[in-house]
Amino acid sequence: MSVGADELLGLVRELLASHPPATTGPGDFLKARFDAGLAWVHYPAGLGGLGAPRSLQPVVDAALEAAGAPDNDPRRIGIGLGMAAPTILAHGTEEQKRRFLRPLWTGEEVWCQLFSEPGAGSDLAALGTRAVRDGDGWRVDGQKVWTSSAHLARWAILIARTDPDLPKHQGITYFVCDMTDPGVEVRPLRQITGEAEFNEVFLTGVRIPDAHRLGAVGEGWQVARTTLMNERVSIGGMRRPREGGMIAPVAEVWRERPELRTHDLHQRLLTLWVEAEVARLTGERLRQQLAAGRPGPEGSGMKLSFARLNQEISGLEVELLGEEGLLYSDWTMRRPELVDFTGRDAGYRYLRSKGNSIEGGTSEVLLNIVAERVLGLPAEPRSDKDTAWKDLAR
Amino acid sequence: MTETTPDLLYSEAEEDLRAAVRSLLGDRAEPASVLARAEAGTPYEGPLWHALGAEMGLAGLLVPEKLGGQGAGHREAAVVLEEIGRSVAPVPYLTSSVIATETLLGLDTESPQVASLLSELAAGRRTAALALPFSCGPDSPQEREELDGTVSAVADGATADVLLVPTGRGLYAVEAAGAGVAREPLTPLDLTRPLAALAFDGAGGTVLADAGTGRAAVRRGLLAGAGLLASEQLGVAEWCLTSTVAYVRDRKQFNRPVGSFQALKHRLAQLWLEVVSARAAARAAADALATASPDAPLSVAVAQAYCSGVAVRAAEECVQLHGGIGMTWEHPAHLYLKRAKSAQLALGSAGEYRAAVAELVGLPGPS
């Protein structure tokens, strides 16, 4: 029998009584919250949840927020929460679930994702990082790229090739990699904004025990699909107020600086304002569908909408600023812990938003996915599916 | 800025309503018959409207039960209009059951003339049209001082039984077949929504309200019409997308289904995204109207500024991706293109609605 909202709110009251936020350290509070099953209520009991409907999580979050309880800064630990956790839950052993989920959720351990490679981005299954049997474990060699949080992470989800004689989607195995192990080298990757938010990760003779394999040998692609599905769901799925998101700063500049207004910019601003509002409503409709237990395919499109809008809006903002648009705040290389569009200047937003149509699946790949999975259009003919990976042109 | 969270889903009852309307229109308003009637110069078929408006009781969805209607609301009417858009059905639903009805609901419904006209419209026995150009939106009212004069491009002006005429002396109800009324059918771009030029010369009319009340009621009628037109546009866009996807899946060129070419897949996926977004915008407008939300003018403006363009793009893509067949008279694509392009001008242009958004959210233009 499923747990209801009243019961959850009762548990929230008990948690607040036994661990008053005012006198409990944030770390201890989060651990207690996890142990009470109020971390992600739809997870199983003992793993941070109670097997309750997922739609009740916002009820718990709101009640705890209202009581001034600390949160686990979900943005900082986004990869762990959004991608590693659902994958471990779906494919991990009981021991793996017990070891990894709690510190992941409380933020004690940050996760990163070792998927993309210099030669395997959109064509992720072409990856060449090798994992070779080595006693009771594996020896991993290769290079990964675009790894956010690698410099902060304790653990990584990793996919590597374990059998190059099979076609590329087979012969891949999924691992949990300890980022503190010898042979793991993280190098900052400086980007278009001047900052190094991502990393390159070099893996040289890294030893991974077989107990850290997630799913069966050779079935890493199936496991990775769980991760990727959750990645796309987590991007663009936030609830926003009207005129929230990227449209907010440009609307603010427009209101405060009448001397910058022109007719042409006015028309473009209004068109984008309307599109941003419609995108917000589309996201809200998706959220209502999920809450009603009727998920729609809209989720596959939200990232596409937000990527395009972010780019167009921030581009307009640079133009609106005229002379100031010629300037940039600071090219000093920094290593931000978070991607934060607010509180930065228009030039940064313009440059950083270029990544929105690339990270987490390029817009072109997502359009193919919508066309094939939502509209049912046929795939393009391809020759790489039945050829052994080692025989593919690279 | 007020902000409420609209209910953007369809209720079970609304889905049942949709299924019933779709089934009726599927039987009675298939594209070939719509085209044949348009060609014969008699686009409006009495029995179809009777079945939809009177027998199914849809003409009275917006009218409270005590005034002879169904006491439903704008959310349900929006679903009916989605289906009408999907079949480009030639029925006076938008003009009579939404715009004229909503205008009358903005008057003193205790008055016997208003109440009896409303109940006739709600029963589907008679139809009414607002005697304004179809391009006229809530923020661009056109009003003459006197009843005498002409109005052009009135949607359903030639077929309506009663004409609601806004003037500086008040809002008149004029019997369309009465003396002093001349109605000349025009050749419309949209074959499925007839337009007429009206001339009033010494016609007898009943004053339903003074000028101020009439003006507010007409604005209310046009606002509801514009908000729900977004749902009709959604229906048009949906048909265009669905039939185009079906076509490119089957049609082979270069030894492959043309729908397997990435250039086409991306265009259709993009269009799908716009249709999905149009649905959210149209539902938000319908819900805001249904709940008389203070957000309604903004929700309607957003929906019109967005959905009209999506319907046109969907219809244009439909013609293009059908190739030569899309250019033929036999294929129904042109009916949808004509409906979409006309609806883009109907009840106020996207530019007018962007100007309304600018006003409502405080983003003024250069001074």
Side-chain angles (χ1 to χ4, degrees):
Chain A
M1 205 171 58
S2 173
V3 180
D6 290 345
E7 197 175 332
L8 287 173
L9 289 173
L11 291 168
V12 167
R13 277 191 297 274
E14 280 173 32
L15 173 67
L16 289 167
S18 59
H19 296 79
T23 53
T24 311
D28 289 338
F29 185 88
L30 291 170
K31 287 174 194 165
R33 178 176 166 185
F34 186 94
D35 296 337
L38 298 171
W40 33 48
V41 298
H42 57 292
Y43 272 40
L47 296 173
L50 294 161
R54 189 177 188 151
S55 57
L56 292 178
Q57 185 68 43
V59 176
V60 171
D61 292 347
L64 286 168
E65 197 188 329
D71 95 356
N72 56 357
D73 196 353
R75 290 186 306 164
R76 182 168 176 271
I77 58 174
I79 291 168
L81 284 181
M83 292 169 243
T87 311
I88 292 167
L89 183 71
H91 299 280
T93 61
E94 283 311 308
E95 199 183 334
Q96 288 168 340
K97 292 177 200 176
R98 277 196 306 277
R99 165 63 188 87
F100 293 124
L101 290 176
R102 191 169 181 261
L104 181 160
W105 189 86
T106 60
E108 285 165 274
E109 290 179 347
V110 173
W111 286 68
C112 67
Q113 182 192 30
L114 297 174
F115 277 25
S116 296
E117 298 183 3
S122 287
D123 186 8
L124 182 60
L127 63 94
T129 291
R130 289 294 314 274
V132 179
R133 284 271 189 196
D134 179 18
D136 61 351
W138 300 81
R139 186 194 146 93
V140 179
D141 292 274
Q143 184 193 342
K144 298 285 179 175
V145 75
W146 312 129
T147 318
S148 345
S149 305
H151 55 299
L152 308 170
R154 171 64 215 282
W155 297 105
I157 41 180
L158 163 74
I159 42 181
R161 188 158 304 281
T162 43
D163 189 346
D165 293 324
L166 292 172
K168 69 182 184 183
H169 291 91
Q170 302 164 36
I172 292 174
T173 303
Y174 199 119
F175 299 96
V176 170
C177 173
D178 185 339
M179 294 295 284
T180 65
D181 270 353
V184 177
E185 189 199 347
V186 176
R187 293 185 201 162
L189 183 60
R190 199 173 183 204
Q191 297 143 231
I192 195 167
T193 55
E195 301 187 339
E197 176 197 311
F198 298 104
N199 302 276
E200 298 178 288
V201 178
F202 295 82
L203 305 164
T204 314
V206 178
R207 195 143 179 334
I208 296 183
D210 195 54
H212 284 182
R213 170 167 51 79
L214 213 54
V217 173
E219 284 178 13
W221 185 250
Q222 288 79 335
V223 182
R225 286 180 63 148
T226 307
T227 312
L228 297 173
M229 244 159 47
N230 281 287
E231 176 173 29
R232 282 167 197 149
V233 167
S234 68
I235 296 176
M238 288 166 294
R239 189 165 198 182
R240 289 190 173 155
R242 177 177 293 155
E243 208 180 281
M246 207 80 114
I247 196 76
V250 66
E252 198 178 310
V253 172
W254 185 268
R255 290 189 186 108
E256 287 170 4
R257 310 265 306 267
E259 75 280 6
L260 297 173
R261 297 175 194 160
T262 70
H263 287 288
D264 167 57
L265 291 169
H266 193 222
Q267 283 308 307
R268 288 163 58 199
L269 173 65
L270 290 172
T271 300
L272 290 171
W273 195 97
V274 166
E275 288 177 356
E277 172 66 0
V278 173
R280 183 185 77 86
L281 290 167
T282 310
E284 176 60 27
R285 183 158 198 275
L286 173 66
R287 211 191 52 72
Q288 291 181 8
Q289 285 177 310
L290 288 171
R294 286 178 277 150
E298 282 86 344
S300 344
M302 293 313 297
K303 179 181 177 294
L304 285 162
S305 290
F306 283 118
R308 183 184 63 80
L309 277 168
N310 284 351
Q311 293 170 357
E312 290 190 20
I313 291 167
S314 58
L316 176 80
E317 193 181 353
V318 172
E319 279 180 78
L320 168 65
L321 289 168
E323 200 177 306
E324 282 168 53
L326 296 169
L327 308 176
Y328 191 75
S329 54
D330 182 7
W331 290 115
T332 310
M333 180 172 130
R334 293 186 295 167
R335 308 222 63 193
E337 281 198 15
L338 287 175
V339 187
D340 189 359
F341 281 121
T342 53
R344 304 295 296 272
D345 67 356
Y348 171 84
R349 276 195 283 280
Y350 172 69
L351 295 173
R352 180 59 186 82
S353 68
K354 294 298 161 214
N356 291 167
S357 51
I358 301 170
E359 58 203 348
T362 61
S363 290
E364 288 71 17
V365 164
L366 292 184
L367 285 168
N368 281 347
I369 289 173
V370 167
E372 290 171 22
R373 302 208 189 133
V374 179
L375 298 178
L377 291 172
E380 289 202 80
R382 49 194 290 187
S383 58
D384 60 337
K385 278 191 163 169
D386 303 318
T387 308
W389 177 83
K390 66 180 170 51
D391 297 327
L392 290 174
R394 265 186 297 279
Chain B
M1 208 161 32
T2 51
E3 187 174 329
T4 50
T5 302
D7 174 1
L8 300 172
L9 305 181
Y10 299 101
S11 69
E12 226 169 282
E14 286 165 4
E15 291 293 4
D16 291 346
L17 172 65
R18 176 199 303 289
V21 176
R22 189 179 293 190
S23 152
L24 177 76
L25 293 177
D27 290 345
R28 305 280 285 269
E30 76 283 8
S33 71
V34 169
L35 186 59
R37 281 200 295 275
E39 283 186 283
T42 53
Y44 276 28
E45 188 210 25
L48 171 62
W49 174 239
H50 182 73
L52 194 76
E55 284 171 18
M56 287 182 77
L58 302 184
L61 282 182
L62 295 180
V63 179
E65 285 178 48
K66 67 176 164 59
L67 292 168
Q70 305 291 317
H74 301 80
R75 295 175 54 90
E76 291 82 358
V79 169
V80 173
L81 279 164
E82 276 183 38
E83 294 307 311
I84 287 173
R86 200 194 301 273
S87 62
V88 285
V91 286
Y93 192 81
L94 181 69
T95 51
S96 183
S97 308
V98 176
I99 300 172
T101 295
E102 188 80 17
T103 302
L104 292 170
L105 287 169
L107 304 175
D108 173 14
T109 53
E110 304 278 303
S111 123
Q113 285 116 325
V114 173
S116 78
L117 186 47
L118 264 175
S119 75
E120 286 182 328
L121 297 190
R125 277 198 300 277
R126 305 182 81 202
T127 62
L130 187 60
L132 287 175
F134 195 40
S135 55
C136 183
D139 294 320
S140 56
Q142 296 180 12
E143 174 186 284
R144 299 187 315 285
E145 198 45 43
E146 304 291 337
L147 178 54
D148 278 359
T150 60
V151 197
S152 67
V154 176
D156 299 331
T159 48
D161 300 303
V162 179
L163 301 165
L164 301 179
V165 193
T167 77
R169 294 178 182 280
L171 180 67
Y172 284 88
V174 178
E175 285 296 321
V181 183
R183 302 195 283 172
E184 184 198 341
L186 303 170
T187 305
L189 175 65
D190 176 3
L191 295 159
T192 60
R193 186 139 52 205
L195 301 173
L198 306 178
F200 300 95
D201 183 10
T206 313
V207 178
L208 297 178
D210 63 34
T213 308
R215 216 166 280 141
V218 166
R219 187 184 147 75
R220 174 175 163 169
L222 292 172
L223 192 72
L228 298 190
L229 176 61
S231 289
E232 191 193 282
Q233 288 162 327
L234 168 65
V236 167
E238 270 227 297
W239 184 90
C240 292
L241 175 64
T242 308
S243 53
T244 306
V245 166
Y247 182 76
V248 301
R249 265 202 300 240
D250 286 348
R251 170 75 172 166
K252 287 195 177 66
Q253 298 277 271
F254 309 101
N255 202 33
R256 289 160 62 173
V258 295
S260 69
F261 286 94
Q262 195 175 58
L264 268 60
K265 287 161 78 170
H266 283 194
R267 281 167 67 165
L268 286 165
Q270 183 60 42
L271 190 59
W272 170 81
L273 188 54
E274 290 173 29
V275 171
V276 161
S277 306
R279 180 181 306 288
R283 278 324 270 169
D287 190 73
L289 289 165
T291 56
S293 159
D295 253 4
L298 182 60
S299 299
V300 169
V302 165
Q304 267 306 302
Y306 189 78
C307 297
S308 58
V310 172
V312 170
R313 250 182 48 70
E316 289 177 347
E317 289 288 73
C318 178
V319 170
Q320 173 66 23
L321 298 183
H322 275 79
I325 194 85
M327 282 300 289
T328 64
W329 189 258
E330 286 75 14
H331 193 276
H334 67 101
L335 295 174
Y336 289 85
L337 179 65
K338 291 162 187 172
R339 170 71 67 100
K341 195 64 189 172
S342 301
Q344 197 179 31
L345 311 178
L347 299 168
S349 67
E352 285 173 55
Y353 285 103
R354 281 194 291 272
V357 168
E359 178 78 29
L360 290 164
V361 304
L363 292 170
S367 40

